[in-house]
Amino acid sequence: MKYISTRGGIDPVSFKDAVMMGLATDGGLLLPSEYPLFPRDVIESWRGLSYQEVAFNIISPFADDIPPSDLKRLIDRSYASFNHPEITPVVKKDGVHILELFHGPTLAFKDVALQLLGNIFEYLLKERGEKMNIVGATSGDTGSAAIYGVRGKENINIFILHPHGRTSKIQALQMTTVTDKNVYNIAVNGTFDDCQNIVKTLFGDIAFKQRHSLGAVNSINWARVLAQVVYYFFAWLKVTDNSSKDVVFSVPTGNFGDIFAGYVAKRIGLPIKQLILATNENNILSRMVKNGDYSTGEVVATLSPSMDIQVASNFERYLFHLFDEDSARVNAALEAFSNTGKMSFTREQLQRVHQDFSSCSVSREETISTIADFNKSCGYLLDPHTAVGVRAALDSEISGSELICLATAHPAKFGDAVKLAIGMEPELPLSLKGLDALPSRCVNMNAELAEIRAFVEANAI
Ligand SMILES: *Cc1c(COP(=O)(O)O)cnc(C)c1O
């Protein structure tokens, strides 16, 4: 399988090269040049398979330059760190299915992709005799999932900047209590934007980037999207009993990575009737799906902080398909957007959007009341991100299909929001209990580029 860029500026590359490249060298995002199609009877024959077996079946045609036995091993190793035998179990509550994606080491769905990406990186670096220094900024969740993805791995060091005192206490502890030699936590005296600007500047310094083989783990890496396609299939296999049944997925959306994986699942043959794109008040994507209004606003802070995003990087992947794989049109639309803050769509394009997506933007009050109501009616606690998706699903007018809501984080990670809804914080699961008693490793630095750059330089592998 070959991968091409949404912006049309690179020669096709293999899966391995696509993973190592991350962002395409022309600034675009990588996508397969064509998709495989799994016939219904083949998907049907997967009933009863383990998560790892389904993962292998789906990932293999996309990663055809990794020998099958190696790929199997990478998948098995990645999901051995999950604390549930089904990896992503589905539970039925109040008429909807909840797809629990939070049984990985950091209790958020990003583990599903980052555990695999960490192992693939280690495998490819070893094969190529190369090293990598991952540098990233986090406002909370991605950082810990990335750290857990590569902790203790050979030929990789990771440097994660987080704004000192501005993440939740649990989020900071989840990162700083990882004391493996290859993990460097940097608590920056500043905001998340300060952290991100420093990281962007480091990546923008091409000589520095090349000298230290800087790598990124943000959701633009194709391997992350691919890993997420798997649980759409797994969930469909769990909630249907024959291949004539289609389902609806409700997806709490920020950077459009998770829901794009659902779109890929549909494209390669999974019977999905509709993908509900659920946003919080940061609703540019929701407005786009509803009426083609793709125009930026200010990012507002909500109870679901991992979805506080306006311009979603993975949306470019969908645009490429919506524009019939025509890079010139993608480039023109992106340029118009950067000049005017707007992008427009034809009626025909919107009709095509509606064949796959519907959307709903959920307010702070609705998020709180959904957590409260759900807890009252069935004793199940939703985290605020999941609650956005559940609310969107309950409000949708789609009928006749099973509704599956993606649960993207464990409620204990967002205790403050849960407390607003039910008056108390959820009980901490074992893996979060006693974190503050563990040894930790973190350096505190000012938001000074030179200082942080020197630290990365001194500790790079
Ligand atoms: C990252 C994240 C999301 C949003 O996923 P995208 O792929 O960015 O759309 C939703 N919920 C949680 C808990 C997250 O960490």
Side-chain angles (χ1 to χ4, degrees), residues 108-110 141 228 252-258 306-307 309 383 385 408-409 414:
F109 93 99
K110 292 191 171 68
D141 264 2
Q228 292 171 197
T253 295
N255 232 336
F256 203 79
D258 206 2
S306 300
M307 292 152 58
I309 291 166
D383 103 285
H385 304 79
T408 51
F414 298 94

Side-chain angles (χ1 to χ4, degrees), residues 357-417:
F357 300 97
S358 63
S359 188
C360 180
S361 162
V362 175
S363 70
R364 179 184 172 92
E365 290 67 37
E366 289 169 323
T367 306
I368 295 173
S369 68
T370 305
I371 298 173
D373 294 350
F374 216 74
N375 183 54
K376 206 172 192 178
S377 64
C378 62
Y380 187 87
L381 263 186
L382 302 169
D383 103 285
H385 304 79
T386 307
V388 166
V390 167
R391 181 57 179 247
L394 295 176
D395 285 354
S396 80
E397 278 152 20
I398 309 162
S399 61
S401 302
E402 300 287 341
L403 272 174
I404 304 174
C405 300
L406 275 60
T408 51
H410 190 290
K413 286 196 84 168
F414 298 94
D416 291 351

